[in-house]
Amino acid sequence: MKQVLLALCSSVLLVSCATPSREQSLVSRAVDAMGGAERLAGIKTIAFKGTAKYWEPEQSDVPGGEARFANESNFSGIIDGATRASRIDWVRNFAYPAPRTFNFSEVTTPEAGYVIGVDSNGRNAQNLKSSPPAHAMSGLRLATAQRELRRGGSGALMLAMQRNPERVQPASDIGSQPAVSFDGFIVAFDPATGLPSRVRSLDYDNIWGDVNYDVVYSDWRDVGGVKVPMSRKYELNGKTVTEVAFTDLQFNAPIDTSRLQIPAEVRAGAPKPAVRNVPYQWVIRRQFIGVYMDSDNASYDTQASQGLRLQEVAPGVHQVQGGTHNSLVVEMSDHLIVMDAPVTDAQSMWLVGATRAQFPGKPIRWVVLTHHHMDHAGGVRGLLAEGGTLVVGQGAGAHFRRVLEAPMTRNPDLPARSFHMNPILEVPESHVMSDSAGRQVIVYVMDNPHAKGMLMGWVPHARLGYVTDIWTPGPPLPAKPNPGLASVVNTVKRAGLQPERFAGGHGSTADYQSLVKLVGQ
Ligand SMILES: [Zn+2]
């Protein structure tokens, strides 16, 4: 009998005799639990509405402290299965960095993405030039939007997994839940119901290195015979960063496909989805606080800037300009001091290369961070790669020791290495860095409204100060003083300094007296 079975299996019945793998069984059970392959395949359009809340952990007040509440949004959207096009209309009410509301729409197709309206304080050149405002998504944003649509589309994802069993691979359990890997996702299943419970990506975060980014599905409801998770929680290394609740969802309702069109002239110049080194966490989370610069270079607007450059702002003092975020480089007799390590290690590796070319034999020995926020500290590893000391304000030392100890094997810009040899100096009030010729750079802890332990830089020979995020030197000052601007003047007074100018982590440089006049009003 056994012989007969074997003979049968080795011929025409081979396929049906093969035992499905553990992975395929998990996928099949999930498809069945969601309503079956036929029903899932019958979904041609989706129309939905909902609300979402966002928190940003790396814009906290205290280093390593409670995540900052970022915004609360209402959205409504449509998806057309035939063209794989989607549109989401957003009303996004921000709490941070300033209260404001952005109304905008995102249209994505497999080939291009389109943003209608204003969705950021950091608008790119195309958005600024268009009337009404609109722009093609960068390839980085389009790739990110496509990945996140896929993660959110529980039914389509399960169906794709069932139809492509060769791409479904074993994965370690997540907690007590069995999991499989598929196209860059790790999908875990609820053993009780068989439903998918969690979809994970192994991402890179500019502060925390290797991170898990998960959606956790819940509140499963029946929509026309298909089970849909109406609530989703997004977790970054287990901490909630987004909560989404669908308030309405319909399958196969008529949709207006004209709303999914991208104008031909925009489509013609629109970037294709990026295929490698997508800084997903940067793209996703800069949008949480409404400051994302939609560009195929994370550091600058490729449509408006020639790229980063070292601009001499005083003898021996250079500011990195051309990007959304600056550093300050002070040349000492046999080394360099750099203030701020913004954006990514790609920007830092550019700076390391530029300083090696311009100041041969002078390594970066001190890396000063004005504060811990991800956009001004995300390139810290790249600048410390020459073995420098990290200088941070009071209360940030332990945080950055943890940051530097975090695994960083997925860093696209820097090979994995240990930073345990890099000392961290925590500045209680002020700290002086000097060279053999007597040149000094001094940092002062600021009493300020932006971030605990914030540092101000001071370059005595140039009578130049350096601040980030509480004053942007260069653009016109606001009509009225604010607590951030006042904190700059207070720190200067307390330290007994006589600045001529300030340079900034944003903007360029500006005359100090104009600030004093404003704050003195
Ligand atoms: Zn900040």
Side-chain angles (χ1 to χ4, degrees):
M1 190 59 195
K2 200 175 171 188
Q3 301 268 306
V4 176
L5 266 180
L6 275 175
L8 280 172
C9 281
S10 63
S11 59
V12 287
L13 293 176
L14 180 68
V15 173
S16 58
C17 282
T19 318
S21 68
R22 172 183 180 270
E23 288 70 38
Q24 283 160 25
S25 300
L26 288 166
V27 171
S28 294
R29 190 178 169 216
V31 167
D32 290 344
M34 290 179 73
E38 202 175 322
R39 279 212 187 90
L40 291 177
I43 298 170
K44 303 301 179 196
T45 69
I46 310 174
F48 54 90
K49 284 191 172 81
T51 61
K53 282 185 185 177
Y54 300 81
W55 292 263
E56 174 47 61
E58 297 313 317
Q59 298 285 345
S60 55
D61 181 35
V62 176
E66 199 183 323
R68 185 83 69 165
F69 176 62
N71 84 77
E72 188 157 14
S73 296
N74 294 304
F75 59 87
S76 61
I78 49 175
I79 297 173
D80 180 24
T83 56
R84 291 190 290 145
S86 75
R87 175 180 177 129
I88 305 178
D89 301 315
W90 293 96
V91 179
R92 193 160 270 187
N93 295 299
F94 292 91
Y96 183 86
R100 64 217 191 278
T101 299
F102 290 151
N103 288 275
F104 63 97
S105 302
E106 293 175 291
V107 178
T108 63
T109 71
E111 294 292 303
Y114 185 43
V115 178
I116 306 161
V118 172
D119 71 334
S120 174
N121 290 59
R123 295 165 64 188
N124 68 17
Q126 189 183 12
N127 190 280
L128 286 164
K129 270 182 235 153
S130 302
S131 178
H135 69 273
M137 282 185 191
S138 64
L140 296 180
R141 179 171 182 171
L142 178 58
T144 304
Q146 289 174 342
R147 185 185 83 162
E148 295 310 314
L149 281 164
R150 218 165 176 222
R151 187 198 305 276
S154 49
L157 183 61
M158 290 309 119
L159 206 54
M161 290 167 76
Q162 193 177 49
R163 285 172 174 173
N164 299 281
E166 72 289 352
R167 298 194 333 240
V168 177
Q169 296 294 322
S172 301
D173 292 1
I174 299 181
S176 58
Q177 299 193 325
V180 305
S181 86
F182 177 73
D183 287 7
F185 290 128
I186 298 170
V187 181
F189 300 89
D190 181 339
T193 62
L195 292 164
S197 56
R198 183 182 292 265
V199 182
R200 169 169 292 179
S201 306
L202 304 178
D203 275 357
Y204 190 74
D205 176 73
N206 63 353
I207 298 296
W208 287 107
D210 300 349
V211 291
N212 295 326
Y213 185 60
D214 296 11
V215 66
V216 183
Y217 298 139
S218 64
D219 189 20
W220 290 86
R221 300 219 204 127
D222 189 290
V223 180
V226 171
K227 283 230 166 55
V228 181
M230 297 294 274
S231 295
R232 291 103 190 270
K233 199 168 64 170
Y234 289 77
E235 295 177 352
L236 183 70
N237 269 1
K239 279 188 195 165
T240 299
V241 293
T242 303
E243 284 176 2
V244 177
F246 287 87
T247 51
D248 185 39
L249 192 140
Q250 293 176 45
F251 294 131
N252 298 329
I255 57 168
D256 177 0
T257 54
S258 70
R259 302 185 70 240
L260 297 167
Q261 300 301 314
I262 300 177
E265 69 277 12
V266 174
R267 216 166 54 225
K272 301 275 178 287
V275 291
R276 50 192 291 277
N277 287 354
V278 178
Y280 291 109
Q281 287 303 316
W282 178 262
V283 178
I284 291 169
R285 285 162 50 210
R286 293 297 283 169
Q287 294 182 55
F288 285 11
I289 61 169
V291 296
Y292 176 60
M293 162 63 70
D294 197 357
S295 167
D296 275 316
N297 189 304
S299 293
Y300 58 89
D301 181 3
T302 53
Q303 301 165 12
S305 171
Q306 301 292 308
L308 302 173
R309 62 180 187 278
L310 274 175
Q311 179 71 44
E312 188 162 35
V313 293
V317 185
H318 291 73
Q319 188 178 31
V320 176
Q321 294 183 357
T324 55
H325 295 69
N326 312 328
S327 300
L328 196 75
V329 179
V330 183
E331 184 185 9
M332 309 297 272
S333 56
D334 62 351
H335 65 275
L336 303 173
I337 298 173
V338 177
M339 285 189 244
D340 281 340
V343 189
T344 60
D345 285 322
Q347 177 158 340
S348 292
M349 295 325 287
W350 173 86
L351 182 56
V352 167
T355 54
R356 276 186 187 155
Q358 192 154 347
F359 313 105
K362 295 190 176 182
I364 299 169
R365 195 172 289 168
W366 302 94
V367 177
V368 178
L369 295 179
T370 54
H371 65 304
H372 64 283
H373 289 169
M374 67 186 280
D375 54 327
H376 297 283
V380 68
R381 293 174 180 83
L383 293 188
L384 289 175
E386 297 193 311
T389 296
L390 180 63
V391 180
V392 296
Q394 174 99 62
H399 168 74
F400 277 103
R401 185 43 73 198
R402 282 197 302 278
V403 166
L404 292 182
E405 280 167 6
M408 40 86 66
T409 62
R410 300 174 204 143
N411 191 319
D413 309 307
L414 206 60
R417 53 163 286 167
S418 164
F419 292 90
H420 76 276
M421 294 296 284
N422 292 83
I424 297 181
L425 191 142
E426 191 177 284
V427 179
E429 246 177 74
S430 65
H431 179 70
V432 184
M433 293 161 277
S434 328
D435 69 8
S436 53
R439 180 168 283 184
Q440 290 187 333
V441 173
I442 310 176
V443 291
Y444 297 93
V445 174
M446 305 182 75
D447 189 4
N448 79 97
H450 187 74
K452 290 283 181 302
M454 186 149 204
L455 295 175
M456 182 183 99
W458 172 240
V459 188
H461 81 269
R463 291 179 61 194
L464 180 78
Y466 178 81
V467 286
T468 296
D469 281 355
I470 44 180
W471 177 26
T472 296
L477 283 162
K480 286 185 177 167
N482 59 48
L485 297 175
S487 73
V488 177
V489 174
N490 290 339
T491 306
V492 165
K493 273 190 196 156
R494 190 166 48 82
L497 311 177
Q498 303 281 321
E500 262 173 22
R501 288 176 304 148
F502 264 77
H506 295 288
S508 52
T509 60
D511 161 51
Y512 177 64
Q513 275 313 310
S514 54
L515 181 73
V516 173
K517 246 180 246 155
L518 175 74
V519 170
Q521 274 175 16

